[in-house]
């Protein structure tokens, strides 16, 4: 066994110089980076403080130090985007500090669901408006208020596409995906005989 | 290798008597048995012809013979029910014929979808009837015609439960699951201004 190890030290580049073995690197440290749709829409800078072991000047002992890593979030980043800081893990004699990788996770949004570069907005309207038309207010991620007229008959599968009101495209953030307006139609709970007669005249004649 | 084989013949029960090795049995032959919901509702007898190799009287040679296997399908059998015929596979010297296993697969039915012991029936009705009431005809698996009154307001999630009109329960085929009547509501494609006025009076006032 000793012989093997000696052989190893001769072959590998750093083995013989710095100590008892070859320089090794642990697998990356992977952490989630939770971002809101607003962060992913506008882009932003996220600063993350890490505590890491840093080698002292003697090259043998180490001290815990805080460090700020800065992530430039680009407009249009998707869930799953990975950002790697090379060799920002703990330092120590005979180790290559591991990489630190952040993986983008989208936070749930109170109004929108993102699908690729599109945003889905679900609104509940009463059946009467679904049949006779209505306007839907949607507050965008950049704070504008859209007032979208719905003139078509809205059935449960109807979806209004509002072009260019989705997420920015990563390749060109001036271009955007679409807003998809979906409807939850609220049926009446009860109807008087008179109202049923009106409905029969409107829908069954 | 020869020595190993000889050793084996001494240890295993049949090895020394009938030839060069121990009696072995191959894994079961598994075949799908496709049954209609009617078959599974009433129960039935399925006869399946198999061709198998049968040992001749000399105990060494064999001949292909047809054989009829008979399966008594019980009312209420589910998809995945397994029926095994033991040792009905090919015969031969020094082999235990393999078992033959049939696995029940439900054929798609033109009217019903089965979920456990319940049957789901989807019917399309115009919105006018969904709001003002209707009757739905359903032909049962045993050929009766149900005429089911719908007096509730039918919204897209509404489901009418008709007790006892589902599949027979395996434990007691006199008892049955339920029929679940689901609705696909057909919205009008266009409405005149006059009809929209009637709808507003009926639904938005």
């Amino acid at each position: 066994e000793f012989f093997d190890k000696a052989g190893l030290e001769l072959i590998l580049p750093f083995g013989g110089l710095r100590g008892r073995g070859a320089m090794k690197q642990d697998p990356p440290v992977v952490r989630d980076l939770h971002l809101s749709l607003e962060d992913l829409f506008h882009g932003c800078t996220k600063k993350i403080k890490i505590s890491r072991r840093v080698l002292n000047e003697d090259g043998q002992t180490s001290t815990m130090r805080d460090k700020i890593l800065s992530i430039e979030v680009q407009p249009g980043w998707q869930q799953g985007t990975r950002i790697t800081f090379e060799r920002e893990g703990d330092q120590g004699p005979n180790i290559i500090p591991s990489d630190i990788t952040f993986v983008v996770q989208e936070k749930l949004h109170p109004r929108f669901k993102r699908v690729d570069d599109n945003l889905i907005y679900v609104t509940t309207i009463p059946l009467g408006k679904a049949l006779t038309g209505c306007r839907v207010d949607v507050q965008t991620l950049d704070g504008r208020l859209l007032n979208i007229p719905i003139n078509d008959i809205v059935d449960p599968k109807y979806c209004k596409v509002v072009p260019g009101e989705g997420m920015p495209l990563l390749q060109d953030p001036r271009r955007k995906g679409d807003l998809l307006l979906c409807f939850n139609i609220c049926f009446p709970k009860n109807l008087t005989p008179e109202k049923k007669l009106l409905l029969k005249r409107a829908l069954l004649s």
Side-chain angles (χ1 to χ4, degrees), chain A:
Chain A
E1 198 189 358
F2 173 79
F3 185 77
D4 272 4
K5 206 177 265 177
L8 207 67
E9 287 188 342
L10 288 175
I11 295 162
L12 291 175
F14 301 105
L17 299 172
R18 297 206 192 176
R20 291 190 223 155
M23 295 287 272
K24 288 206 303 185
Q25 188 179 28
D26 284 329
V29 177
V30 179
R31 292 282 176 274
D32 284 339
L33 177 66
H34 292 273
L35 296 173
S36 68
L37 282 187
E38 282 85 353
D39 289 339
L40 293 164
F41 183 92
H42 292 290
C44 62
T45 303
K46 288 283 168 190
K47 296 192 183 296
I48 293 143
K49 189 167 84 170
I50 59 168
S51 288
R52 63 191 302 237
R53 198 163 281 286
V54 176
L55 261 187
N56 296 328
E57 283 191 0
D58 61 13
Q60 293 296 322
T61 62
S62 60
T63 313
M64 288 303 286
R65 295 264 173 79
D66 286 346
K67 178 168 182 177
I68 304 287
L69 299 179
S70 182
I71 300 178
E72 297 296 326
V73 175
Q74 299 300 310
W77 272 9
Q78 303 264 2
Q79 171 128 331
T81 297
R82 298 171 81 88
I83 311 98
T84 295
F85 292 88
E86 289 184 354
R87 304 194 180 189
E88 291 288 2
D90 289 336
Q91 294 180 348
N94 296 315
I95 58 164
I96 303 171
S98 58
D99 295 343
I100 299 182
T101 295
F102 293 94
V103 181
V104 171
Q105 304 290 346
E106 270 175 24
K107 287 185 197 167
L108 279 182
H109 195 275
R111 296 194 304 284
F112 297 109
K113 184 170 157 42
R114 179 186 190 175
V115 176
D116 301 326
D117 294 317
N118 300 323
L119 292 172
I120 297 176
Y121 183 92
V122 180
T123 186
T124 299
I125 58 171
L127 178 64
K129 291 193 175 181
L131 295 171
T132 63
C134 60
R135 303 185 76 91
V136 177
D137 284 337
V138 181
Q139 195 195 341
T140 64
L141 289 173
D142 55 351
R144 289 169 296 122
L145 193 71
L146 305 179
N147 180 255
I148 302 156
I150 308 293
N151 300 314
D152 303 318
I153 294 174
V154 173
D155 69 29
K157 287 173 188 147
Y158 179 81
C159 175
K160 172 87 173 178
V161 179
V162 186
E165 289 291 353
M167 293 296 285
L169 308 191
L170 188 57
Q171 317 85 293
D172 178 2
R174 291 166 303 181
R175 292 173 53 212
K176 298 199 169 57
D178 298 332
L179 171 64
L180 309 178
L181 203 50
C182 301
F183 294 86
N184 181 22
I185 303 171
C186 189
F187 275 56
K189 294 280 166 269
N190 43 57
L191 290 163
T192 61
E194 296 74 34
K195 289 185 171 182
K196 284 193 182 183
L197 264 181
L198 292 172
L199 289 169
K200 280 184 182 165
R201 280 171 57 200
L203 295 170
L204 292 175
S205 61

